[in-house]
């Protein structure tokens, strides 16, 4: 599994929210911000010779290269080369499209029709239209099949491809071909800004509030507070906070989220600039508005928990004694700021380290769980290519995955070797018969998707980390 890279702050103007507005003690805050400015000025003065060299190379290419060159392409190449030399995966130059994508993630919104969808046989099925969005307003319903977008068939396309076709600029039109109750019709929608919730909550085990935080975006702290209050009204006695596979996001939101669970004056995190100066961030009303959670809490994390998610988990663990349950977190211990250019491209640069309340730098190490627990191994199986049909005599790594999935579901007892033999064929037939699918003994798209759905359902029922959290909070 590839580890997710996370975004920590939004724009160049938000460097003040990192180093000034969120700092306790104005004088020290001013010193940190001032230091940043003086460093940049000093660098500009001492790199004149280097800049002259870069200019000379540019002029040589422009004047002597044997064919026409794009000034924009050469400039972008130079910028990317300089940033690449930092050997920092979190410092990067983003063109207009990439920058727009980053900002969508940060704001937790995008432009589209506003419907949760999933793959269904050859097409895309609407799970739920989101309240207040174009999809809801025109009357799209759960179970509707989207068979085409602007006349382009979705047959065999992935959900990702379909979503790309449905998204676009705010105010533009998109025409969907919908199949409902055996009848097809076309529906034209006007794309709009679609907010995405980053916090989901429910009551589990009759008295525990379960809160999943999927990312840390502009509205996450407010969404978290709303979820906590809603669950509190339902009489929950404790909370499970799930930041597994949360890639992180905005530092100011992590501070607000953490402060809700910490006593005033408790350390949330530390930020350390390259000269070693540290700024300490402490819980208080300026972050949480006076709202505090006093009920027991447990935090779930894994290798996909990074950046602001780790700030949150680390603060609750070290400053509020909340147990961490799961596996080692990602280990992203740096802070970034983003600068805008006139052409709407952006440059993201690492400006500091962040440390846990105890002063630990978890970069490339991660937070260590108090209790180690994880999903079963079959939860991490790769998805199978559904554009192929697998049959007796075939050999491939995807058949090996299919065998593992069938084994997890109790249908396959043979050797997991990637060979589609009689034992695999029998297992597929048994599954198809049980699930009322056409019994062919071959694994086509419909059969594979059905198997993967069943595996996902079993994963949810065998969430060992959540079970551990429940057992701790039940005491």
């Amino acid at each position: 599994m590839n580890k997710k890279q996370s975004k920590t702050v939004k724009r160049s103007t938000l460097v003040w929210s990192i180093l000034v507005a969120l700092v306790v003690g104005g004088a020290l805050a001013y010193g940190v911000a001032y230091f940043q400015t003086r460093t940049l000025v000093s660098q500009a003065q001492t790199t004149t010779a280097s800049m002259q060299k870069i200019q000379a190379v540019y002029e040589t290419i422009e004047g002597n290269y044997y064919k026409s060159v794009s000034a924009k392409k050469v400039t972008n190449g130079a910028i990317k080369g300089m940033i690449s030399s930092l050997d920092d995966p979190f410092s990067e130059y983003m063109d207009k499209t990439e920058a727009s994508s980053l900002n969508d993630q940060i704001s937790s919104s995008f432009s589209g029709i506003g419907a949760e969808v999933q793959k269904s046989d050859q097409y895309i099925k609407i799970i739920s239209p989101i309240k207040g969005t174009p999809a809801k307003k025109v009357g799209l319903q759960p179970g509707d099949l989207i068979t085409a977008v602007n006349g382009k068939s979705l047959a065999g396309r992935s959900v990702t491809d379909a979503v790309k076709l449905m998204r676009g600029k705010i105010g533009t039109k998109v025409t969907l071909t919908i199949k409902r109750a055996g009848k097809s019709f076309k529906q034209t929608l006007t794309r709009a800004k679609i907010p995405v919730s980053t916090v989901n909550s429910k009551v589990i085990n009759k008295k525990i509030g379960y809160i999943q935080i999927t990312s840390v975006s502009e509205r996450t702290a407010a969404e978290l507070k709303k979820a906590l209050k809603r669950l509190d009204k339902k009489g929950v006695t404790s909370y499970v906070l799930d930041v597994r596979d949360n890639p992180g996001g905005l530092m100011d939101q992590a501070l607000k989220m953490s402060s809700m669970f910490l006593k005033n004056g408790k350390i949330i995190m530390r930020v350390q600039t390259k000269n070693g100066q540290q700024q300490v961030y402490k819980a208080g009303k300026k972050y949480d508005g006076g709202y505090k959670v006093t009920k027991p809490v447990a935090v779930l994390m894994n290798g996909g928990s990074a950046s602001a998610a780790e700030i949150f988990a680390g603060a609750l663990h070290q400053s509020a004694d909340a147990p961490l349950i799961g596996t080692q977190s990602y280990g992203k211990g740096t802070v970034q700021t983003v600068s805008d250019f006139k052409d709407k491209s952006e440059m993201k640069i690492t400006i500091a380290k962040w440390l846990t309340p105890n002063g630990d730098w978890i970069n490339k190490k991660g937070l260590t769980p108090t209790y180690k627990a994880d999903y079963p191994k079959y939860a991490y199986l790769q998805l199978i290519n559904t554009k192929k049909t697998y049959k007796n005599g075939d050999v491939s790594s995807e058949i090996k995955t299919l065998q593992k999935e069938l084994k997890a579901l109790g249908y396959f007892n043979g050797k997991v070797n990637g060979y589609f033999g009689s034992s695999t064929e029998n297992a597929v037939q048994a599954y198809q018969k049980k699930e009322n699918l056409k019994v062919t003994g071959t694994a086509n798209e419909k059969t594979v998707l059905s198997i993967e759905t069943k595996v996902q359902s079993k994963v949810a029922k065998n969430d060992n980390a959540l079970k551990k959290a429940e057992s701790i909070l039940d005491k």
Side-chain angles (χ1 to χ4, degrees):
M1 292 174 60
N2 291 328
K3 289 184 176 180
K4 296 180 180 179
Q5 293 184 355
S6 50
K7 281 79 179 173
T8 308
V9 293
K10 186 179 179 184
R11 326 199 60 78
S12 57
T13 52
L14 289 187
V15 70
W16 302 107
S17 70
I18 301 167
L19 297 175
V20 182
L22 301 180
V23 171
V24 179
L28 182 54
Y30 178 79
V32 174
Y34 180 75
F35 170 78
Q36 293 288 322
T37 304
R38 284 299 299 271
T39 301
L40 292 173
V41 170
S42 175
Q43 288 174 345
Q45 292 172 343
T46 58
T47 58
T48 301
S50 297
M51 295 306 297
Q52 288 176 345
K53 186 175 181 180
I54 293 172
Q55 180 67 22
V57 172
Y58 178 84
E59 291 176 353
T60 300
I61 292 173
E62 185 179 45
N64 300 312
Y65 190 62
Y66 79 103
K67 59 181 180 180
S68 298
V69 295
S70 164
K72 183 177 181 180
K73 187 175 181 180
V74 172
T75 302
N76 288 348
I79 296 171
K80 288 182 178 180
M82 285 189 282
I83 295 175
S84 177
S85 71
L86 301 175
D87 195 26
D88 176 6
F90 303 109
S91 293
E92 60 182 324
Y93 172 75
M94 296 165 284
D95 60 26
K96 181 179 177 181
T97 301
E98 293 166 332
S100 177
S101 177
L102 169 62
N103 292 331
D104 282 349
Q105 292 178 47
I106 289 170
S107 64
S108 191
S109 65
F110 58 88
S111 176
I113 66 167
E116 296 179 36
V117 298
Q118 71 176 28
K119 186 77 172 176
S120 179
D121 294 331
Q122 285 290 311
Y123 299 107
I124 303 299
K125 181 170 70 175
I126 294 178
I127 302 304
S128 175
I130 301 170
K131 185 178 179 180
T133 65
K136 186 69 174 179
K137 289 177 181 178
V138 301
L140 295 186
Q141 300 176 9
D144 284 350
L145 285 180
I146 305 174
T147 60
V149 178
N150 290 333
K152 294 182 179 179
S153 174
L154 297 185
R157 288 180 180 265
S158 67
V159 172
T160 300
D161 288 342
V163 169
K164 285 181 180 178
L165 290 173
M166 287 186 277
R167 288 187 182 180
K169 291 183 178 180
I170 294 174
T172 58
K173 305 284 187 181
V174 59
T175 300
L176 308 182
T177 302
I178 305 295
K179 188 174 182 179
R180 180 189 298 166
K183 296 182 179 180
S184 290
F185 61 93
K186 291 185 179 181
Q187 182 70 61
T188 299
L189 302 86
T190 302
R191 296 182 178 101
K193 187 174 182 179
I194 310 299
V196 180
S197 174
T198 61
V199 177
N200 303 301
S201 63
K202 61 182 178 180
V203 178
I204 59 174
N205 201 16
K206 296 182 180 180
K207 59 181 181 179
I208 298 174
Y210 170 83
I211 299 177
Q212 179 191 43
I213 307 169
T214 58
S215 65
V216 186
S217 303
E218 288 177 344
R219 295 184 298 275
T220 302
E223 289 179 12
L224 175 59
K225 183 184 289 187
K226 186 176 180 180
L228 287 164
K229 288 183 176 181
R230 183 168 57 246
L231 290 172
D232 193 48
K233 287 181 180 179
K234 292 183 178 181
V236 301
T237 57
S238 57
Y239 295 102
V240 174
L241 304 172
D242 190 348
V243 294
R244 288 176 295 183
D245 295 317
N246 182 325
L250 298 174
M251 184 177 123
D252 68 327
Q253 293 294 301
L255 292 168
K256 292 176 181 179
M257 292 159 59
S258 302
S259 188
M260 297 179 203
F261 299 87
L262 273 56
K263 293 180 180 178
N264 288 343
K266 286 286 187 177
I267 297 175
I268 301 173
M269 65 179 294
R270 306 166 187 265
V271 170
Q272 181 174 307
T273 54
K274 67 180 179 181
N275 71 345
Q277 286 186 345
Q278 281 191 21
Q279 183 59 57
V280 179
Y281 298 82
K282 297 180 179 180
K285 191 174 182 179
K286 65 180 295 184
Y287 297 131
D288 56 47
Y291 177 78
K292 295 291 185 181
V293 176
T294 57
K295 295 174 181 177
V297 169
V299 181
L300 306 185
M301 66 178 191
N302 65 3
S305 307
S307 181
E310 291 176 297
I311 292 174
F312 180 63
L316 268 62
H317 177 55
Q318 294 186 3
S319 290
D321 296 322
L324 301 180
I325 304 167
T327 59
Q328 202 79 7
S329 67
Y330 179 87
K332 198 263 187 184
T334 55
V335 178
Q336 284 71 42
T337 185
V338 180
S339 300
D340 299 302
F341 295 101
K342 290 182 180 179
D343 63 358
K344 296 186 179 180
S345 61
E346 296 180 349
M347 180 175 66
K348 179 159 64 79
I349 294 292
T350 298
I351 59 168
K353 298 177 179 179
W354 71 264
L355 313 176
T356 66
N358 292 348
D360 302 323
W361 192 38
I362 65 164
N363 204 51
K364 297 183 179 180
K365 294 183 292 185
L367 295 165
T368 299
T370 315
Y371 302 96
K372 189 173 182 179
D374 199 4
Y375 290 114
K377 290 183 179 179
Y378 54 79
Y380 298 102
L381 293 174
Q382 296 292 321
L383 293 177
I384 298 172
N385 182 359
T386 56
K387 293 182 179 180
K388 297 180 180 179
T389 295
Y390 306 93
K391 60 185 184 304
N392 200 318
D394 289 347
V395 180
S396 72
S397 60
E398 293 189 310
I399 291 172
K400 191 172 184 178
T401 299
L402 176 65
Q403 291 169 333
K404 289 179 179 179
E405 291 181 335
L406 288 167
K407 195 177 190 73
L409 296 174
Y411 290 92
F412 182 71
N413 295 312
K415 187 176 181 180
V416 177
N417 55 11
Y419 172 67
F420 200 123
S422 58
S423 58
T424 304
E425 184 177 31
N426 291 337
V428 171
Q429 288 176 337
Y431 179 85
Q432 290 171 329
K433 185 176 181 180
K434 176 71 173 177
E435 297 301 319
N436 296 316
L437 299 170
K438 186 176 180 180
V439 181
T440 62
T442 62
N444 60 8
E445 180 182 33
K446 192 169 186 177
T447 296
V448 170
L449 289 174
S450 176
I451 290 171
E452 290 181 337
T453 299
K454 288 290 182 182
V455 170
Q456 290 170 5
S457 178
K458 186 169 183 179
V459 167
K461 293 176 182 177
N462 290 275
D463 188 341
N464 298 321
L466 180 56
K467 288 180 179 179
K468 181 64 179 177
E470 289 182 50
S471 68
I472 292 171
L473 295 174
D474 268 342
K475 292 179 181 179

